[in-house]
Amino acid sequence: MIAVLAAGLTLMVGAVLALALPGNRVRAWAAIATQAVATALILAAVIPIVMGGAPISAQWSWPFPFEVVRVRVDALSAFFLAWSLPMTLLGSVYALGYLRPYFEAGRNGGPHFALLNVTSLAFVMVYTLENALVFLLGWEIAAVAAWLLVIWDYKNQKVRFAGFNYLVSTHVGMFFLVAAFMVMHSQTGSFDFGAFSRFLHQPGALRNVTFVLLVTSFGLKSAFFPFHTWLPRAHSAAPAHVSSLMSGVIHKAGLFALLRFTLLMGAPEEWMGWYLIGFSALSAILGVLYTSSQRDLKRLLGYSSTENVGIAGLGFGVGVLGLCWHQPVLVLLGFTGGILHLLNHALFKCLLFYAAGAVYLATHTVDIERLGGLVRRMPRTAAFFLIGGLAISGLPPLNGFVSEFLIYLGLLNGAVPTGRARVLLVCVAALLAFIGAVSALSMTRAFGITFLGQPRDSQVHPKSDAPAPLFITMFLHAAGVVLIGLWPPAGLWFVRSAVGLFMNLCTPVPGGLPDLSSVLMPVAGASLVLIAVVGALLLLARRTQGSVATQTTWGCGYSAANTRMQYSGTSFSSQFAAIFEAVLPQLRSEDLPVGYFPPDGRLATHYVDAVERRMFQLLGDGESLVTQAVARIPDQPRLAFAAGLVALAVIVWLIVLANGGVA
Amino acid sequence: MIAHAAALLVVPIILVGVVNRTKSCWAGRKGVPLLQAFYDIVRLARKRPVYSSVATVFVKAAPSVVLGTAVVSGLLVPLLGRRTPLSFPFDFVFFAYTWGLGRIFLMLGALDTGSSFEGMGASREATYSALVEPAFFLAAGTLAAASGKSSFAQLLRFRPDDPATAVVWCGCLVALFVLLQVESARIPVDDPSTHLELTMIHEVMVLDHSGPDLAVIQYASAIKMTVCAGLLAALLNPLDAAAGPALFAAANLGLILGAGIVIGTVESLIARLKLRSIPEYIFLAISAAFVALLASTLRRGGLG
């Protein structure tokens, strides 16, 4: 416990130092050094718990309104702390390289590094405090710190707008959380999570309402659909390390809270599991559809966060259903898959954002339609982006496959009791397969258009490859991605005790549970066979490809092709987007050349977020839409008749209700 | 194991020959020798490759990855009947994702040359393969639900014993057959012999591959077709467990070649679909697998 407190204090001292010291390098190093110390302290405290040790806890009695503040590091907190802090530290190292051009221009980086420290502090608070008021404080600190980090480039109006959008959205989520806490406080008279837990153990309408409020709030925090609209903006506006920390680490707090309250709830009801699965499936499918047509690399990655929290949520949903059906196998597979996917997503998503940041640093753009051929100038960044892209598409032999495989195992498991549930879960598995394939499409497109082919815009002059701080950060993340992919027990070891908490909620079965390591080892073995075969073939090919002739790319007879004639990102996805036009509407603005001697023509297309547009359209013009609809009623006898019937039915229903129902 | 590997490497050549011979029979031609695919591969392998000046390492790596993934996926499928060299619970998930890996590298190899034609092919490949993926998982998930088993070799031993399971079986067969046509680029989805770049999918992605690389890619796509046909054959094989392994394997190989005749017949009698109708054709596979899935619960005493 001392270590956790000391870590919190060190982080605060670091934040103050970063603000007070002179010179950007000193400030940055002060922040990084204190974060490193805090990370070491936290790891020293939590690694024993991750390995299965007893949780540590302490409590203070404070005056009104806090009453009792309990600090508790159990396996779930330990798991989240064990990677959140190190990854924030790596993000700060990355910032050192990424912000250098700004520092050279004389910008003061102190507040930025102080905020990174404060973010780490918020993790320590949110993941350990078991009192609703202080928890909210940590939650708010994380939100405001993330907002301030996003608007680093605050002189740009678009960035300010994106930041404001984020600030509003995250507080809308906060309202739901406060509402849920108010319900629980009114029922228990306490802010302590232990008291909440006793309330949440009793089934009833109030518990259901609380559950929906909580899921909505945590969904907003983790950018579940349809609460994702702030996310692509914020991610494309923020500096790369901030986008990556937000997407990979900060927003995992929402899923942490979801898991925490699932634990507090003890015995969930079946509809809650289905609710989670439905919500997550919708998130995953729409998130991935949006990734397929973005031209802004970071926006694309932002949408892919919505997809991946959805995939993790599917795992949680399976786990919750397992709890209801008393099927420990499903609990094990669902929660292991979901929690491992959180970690995996943090690894490969940060890697991808860091690679996108390296591209931005070298070219000053992340618009894939202006890039191309970067693999020649930035081979290391390209390799890292490819590793991240393959992992995020869930392909073997990388880590994304391991967690998705576990989730498939849960979805297709024979332990599902009823036929109807089986049908639904197999359909969800098919959906997950579709999501994986579309993710592969998006990543092929993002990598292929950005890094392969020829440069599309002559005004983009890529400078050198990623500098050392960027390289180190990306290398470490990529190492994690490959490690968990090739040696799945490493990942399982990390999540085992956190999953154990959920296993404690269900009654053990007599036959015992499958050991997941032994389930995953054949998969890892098959991955190794794959690597061996492909590697052997590559070596063989290297021999035969020795003496080569070079020619221009075959243009099917056309010999004057130029770089602007390459396939663009938009054309790559247009066929796919046309199939899903309802959610991927394309906006065209064109001024096509006509006549024999036409002036210059112009054509611009871009894809917009249909949900966001419709939502704001509905919010903005909702009342006029209703008025228009109502105004049409008297014109048409049919509609008037129908409306009259509906009104009559409602009136009768109300009268019956008022009289205490039908006797 | 060795027999499996031998079958995996030899049958593709013959299968391509059978498909082409069937097509020439329907067209009233004498047709090329059965082993023409082998001669083609040898001829290409002797040539010196030519690379685009734009291309980097991906064009060179793509053929190896595509062949490697095709071979490894072949190790998971019971080509000779009951046993497979690699088998573990839910290996069909690994199978699908291994194909995904090969496909990504094929597409990256295509994008590497900066050719707009190859970009077009990659775009189509990505789109259709994304659509066909749920069909495969629905079919495999249905077989898993209906048989209560989880590895490929066990799933494909599922046989109908009443009307409801017959629907399950037929639905899965239809879905897997459409999967074969999409994945190995056969008519009515794609025409492997056309030379009009604007309408192609697979062929257009390999325009800049030449010599040994082209040979490897053609071989890999023949292997993929064999693997798909192997899925169908294992699901169709009428012999039961009492039959000897050699007889069983022979029946399986015969069914694989029979699938080749069906493919060739379809190619001869049906025209290629318009590109925009291909999603609808794939939707046929998804619906067939979905019907099978619904039927699989009927046997368990209704939905519920």
Side-chain angles (χ1 to χ4, degrees), chain A residues 175-198:
Chain A
F175 295 152
F176 283 99
L177 187 58
V178 169
F181 282 171
M182 278 160 72
V183 171
M184 290 191 277
H185 180 68
S186 70
Q187 295 298 307
T188 59
S190 163
F191 285 115
D192 186 56
F193 280 5
F196 285 2
S197 172
R198 283 188 289 283

Side-chain angles (χ1 to χ4, degrees), chain B residues 16 47 54 78 84 95 109 114 120 139 171 186 197 202 210 213 223 251-252 258 277 290 303:
Chain B
V16 172
K47 293 193 173 186
V54 180
T84 56
F95 172 84
M120 193 187 292
R186 309 307 304 193
E197 293 86 351
H202 266 255
S210 53
D213 288 353
I223 291 182
N252 232 37
S277 343
F290 186 67
L303 278 173

Side-chain angles (χ1 to χ4, degrees), chain A residues 376 454 549-562, chain B residues 50-55 112-115 118 207-210:
Chain A
R376 289 167 183 278
Q454 285 178 295
T550 335
Q551 261 294 337
T552 50
T553 299
W554 170 236
C556 300
Y558 186 71
S559 55
N562 65 38
Chain B
V50 179
Y51 292 107
S52 157
S53 53
V54 180
D112 197 15
T113 58
S115 145
E118 290 179 54
L207 280 177
D208 268 281
H209 287 87
S210 53

Side-chain angles (χ1 to χ4, degrees), chain A residues 124-430:
Chain A
V124 177
M125 291 178 74
V126 169
Y127 293 156
T128 61
L129 293 168
E130 299 233 311
N131 177 299
L133 278 184
V134 206
F135 180 87
L136 279 178
L137 196 65
W139 196 261
E140 181 67 12
I141 290 176
V144 173
W147 166 58
L148 289 171
L149 286 169
V150 166
I151 56 168
W152 162 256
D153 208 2
Y154 63 90
K155 286 184 181 147
N156 183 341
Q157 196 272 335
K158 275 189 176 165
V159 172
R160 285 203 306 275
F161 175 73
F164 189 67
N165 198 326
Y166 169 66
L167 196 64
V168 171
S169 296
T170 187
H171 281 90
V172 172
M174 185 95 160
F175 295 152
F176 283 99
L177 187 58
V178 169
F181 282 171
M182 278 160 72
V183 171
M184 290 191 277
H185 180 68
S186 70
Q187 295 298 307
T188 59
S190 163
F191 285 115
D192 186 56
F193 280 5
F196 285 2
S197 172
R198 283 188 289 283
F199 162 70
L200 286 172
H201 267 83
Q202 296 145 8
L206 261 184
R207 176 170 97 146
N208 296 347
V209 171
T210 315
F211 175 79
V212 172
L213 285 174
L214 285 174
V215 171
T216 309
S217 165
F218 301 148
L220 242 159
K221 187 78 185 172
S222 294
F224 272 85
F225 179 89
F227 312 123
H228 66 281
T229 50
W230 54 270
L231 168 134
R233 281 180 208 285
H235 282 338
S236 64
H241 56 283
V242 176
S243 324
S244 96
L245 287 180
M246 275 175 77
S247 167
V249 191
I250 300 178
H251 296 133
K252 295 303 184 310
L255 291 167
F256 163 79
L258 183 64
L259 289 170
R260 169 64 72 212
F261 277 88
T262 311
L263 275 179
L264 291 178
M265 198 148 56
E269 286 167 52
E270 193 174 334
W271 71 267
M272 294 175 176
W274 289 116
Y275 184 75
L276 265 184
I277 286 193
F279 200 33
S280 308
L282 197 67
S283 226
I285 188 91
L286 286 160
V288 81
L289 286 180
Y290 285 126
T291 61
S292 70
S293 56
Q294 301 302 317
R295 10 183 333 179
D296 182 323
L297 204 52
K298 285 166 77 184
R299 225 180 143 93
L300 185 156
L301 294 174
Y303 276 116
S304 136
S305 293
T306 296
E307 171 215 340
N308 278 285
V309 292
I311 294 176
L314 285 179
F316 300 159
V318 170
V320 168
L321 284 177
L323 284 175
C324 307
W325 293 331
H326 305 292
Q327 293 287 357
V329 183
L330 293 183
V331 180
L332 180 70
L333 290 170
F335 282 113
T336 311
I339 295 178
L340 189 57
H341 196 74
L342 286 188
L343 175 67
N344 288 342
H345 176 238
L347 285 169
F348 52 61
K349 182 51 67 63
C350 287
L351 175 61
L352 285 168
F353 265 121
Y354 289 143
V359 168
Y360 183 78
L361 203 60
T363 62
H364 297 291
T365 180
V366 281
D367 181 356
I368 59 172
E369 309 289 31
R370 293 184 59 201
L371 297 169
L374 285 183
V375 71
R376 289 167 183 278
R377 304 302 296 269
M378 316 180 67
R380 294 185 301 186
T381 307
F384 288 133
F385 194 96
L386 182 66
I387 291 178
L390 292 178
I392 208 168
S393 313
L395 293 169
L398 298 171
N399 67 350
F401 180 71
V402 176
S403 46
E404 288 196 20
F405 186 75
L406 287 173
I407 296 174
Y408 275 118
L409 247 59
L411 289 170
L412 297 170
N413 205 283
V416 179
T418 63
R420 187 183 300 169
R422 283 219 98 162
V423 169
L424 283 171
L425 290 184
V426 171
C427 288
V428 173

